[in-house]
Amino acid sequence: MSIDYRKRPKKAPAVAVGLEHITDSAPGLVNLYKAAAVSLRKHQVSGERAAVYLVLDRSGSMRPYYRDGSVQHLAEQTLALAAHLDDDGVVPVIFFSTDIDGTAEISLDTYRDRINPLHESMGHMGRTNYHVAMQAVIDHYTSCGATAPALVVFQTDGSPTSKAAAEHVLCTAARLPIFWQFIGFGYDDFRFLRKLDELPVPGKRVIDNAGFFAAGPSPKHVEDMDLYDRLLQEFPQWLTAARNAGIVRS
């Protein structure tokens, strides 16, 4: 499965997708959109522009989270945030396990009950290889001519099969205008993701380009405002560091 979801450079407007448009085209996202607006103001990143990506784990242990709607809900939360940051109203979605299982997109017109049918069409659920998904995001971002930075919401429920490969890609990508926000579903202690979050600067990477938080065993029940606050906790500091380093244009 392959969908062309190229993002073309645009002049950033004063606002991205306005509330009126959300109300008309995606009324089910209105409350999420409002919650995201509060968190963006709180973290002083209202008016920023970023291409938003969603990366979803399809390893075998993820079945319960697709089944109970947790993954669909995260997709909706991400799309509502993206409506503030990216005026095309589209979020590229990358499903991964051992390899890239599929790519798709969600938009204000096509997001309802979208994730599970896509997931179910992709067949076997394999192991957990972060690096293949990360490289897919990097390849897409660097080939599409985007001028805004990227915020990647990267969901998983466990450590990767190849930790060395994941760390290598993250450190190499620190020179790119891409911020990786990892979210852990489930009971895992996520030692590796906590390690990635704390990799030394400049010993391992030029700037800190990743954040992590654990959403616990019931991620669908995390309060929306709490989720947005966690999603945006480290993004503003990264933007400042990336601009100071010339990685993101001022």
Side-chain angles (χ1 to χ4, degrees):
M1 178 183 299
S2 180
I3 296 176
D4 182 4
Y5 46 71
R6 287 173 292 178
K7 294 180 181 288
R8 295 174 176 81
K10 297 180 181 180
K11 184 178 180 180
V15 296
V17 181
L19 178 59
E20 183 177 354
H21 184 67
I22 297 292
T23 302
D24 290 341
S25 63
L29 296 181
V30 167
N31 288 340
L32 291 173
Y33 180 87
K34 290 179 178 178
V38 172
S39 191
L40 285 160
R41 288 194 297 270
K42 177 179 177 180
H43 293 279
Q44 300 182 335
V45 284
S46 293
E48 293 286 355
R49 292 293 170 266
V52 179
Y53 291 81
L54 177 61
V55 178
L56 297 174
D57 188 347
R58 283 193 76 253
S59 58
S61 55
M62 276 295 299
R63 286 187 181 87
Y65 302 107
Y66 284 96
R67 191 179 302 124
D68 72 3
S70 294
V71 184
Q72 173 67 34
H73 189 52
L74 177 62
E76 293 173 9
Q77 291 167 318
T78 303
L79 180 60
L81 177 62
H84 289 279
L85 297 172
D86 191 342
D87 65 313
D88 71 1
V90 174
V91 174
V93 184
I94 296 170
F95 295 83
F96 79 99
S97 58
T98 306
D99 208 331
I100 300 301
D101 294 342
T103 60
E105 62 184 24
I106 52 174
S107 69
L108 300 176
D109 299 324
T110 56
Y111 74 88
R112 299 173 188 84
D113 301 319
R114 179 142 171 81
I115 295 299
N116 276 8
L118 288 166
H119 155 62
E120 290 165 2
S121 74
M122 293 173 188
H124 177 71
M125 300 173 74
R127 298 189 299 277
T128 310
N129 279 328
Y130 294 2
H131 66 284
V132 296
M134 296 172 74
Q135 192 62 54
V137 171
I138 292 166
D139 290 347
H140 173 263
Y141 180 83
T142 56
S143 68
C144 72
T147 56
L151 169 61
V152 182
V153 178
F154 193 112
Q155 180 277 322
T156 184
D157 74 335
S159 296
T161 303
S162 177
K163 296 180 176 67
E167 181 176 328
H168 174 75
V169 174
L170 182 73
C171 292
T172 302
R175 297 184 180 279
L176 299 173
I178 301 173
F179 182 75
W180 307 87
Q181 180 57 61
F182 294 95
I183 302 176
F185 281 15
Y187 293 95
D188 195 276
D189 59 10
F190 297 107
R191 291 182 184 179
F192 178 71
L193 281 175
R194 296 181 196 280
K195 175 189 173 184
L196 286 188
D197 189 17
E198 297 170 0
L199 287 173
V201 174
K204 287 279 191 176
R205 49 186 174 165
V206 293
I207 61 171
D208 183 348
N209 62 333
F212 166 72
F213 70 91
S218 301
K220 187 179 178 181
H221 298 108
V222 174
E223 292 291 334
D224 298 323
M225 191 67 71
D226 187 20
L227 178 123
Y228 287 129
D229 280 345
R230 295 184 185 191
L231 277 181
L232 296 170
Q233 185 172 6
E234 297 188 45
F235 182 60
Q237 291 92 330
W238 171 79
L239 273 176
T240 298
R243 284 177 174 141
N244 290 342
I247 294 169
V248 169
R249 298 179 187 179
S250 299

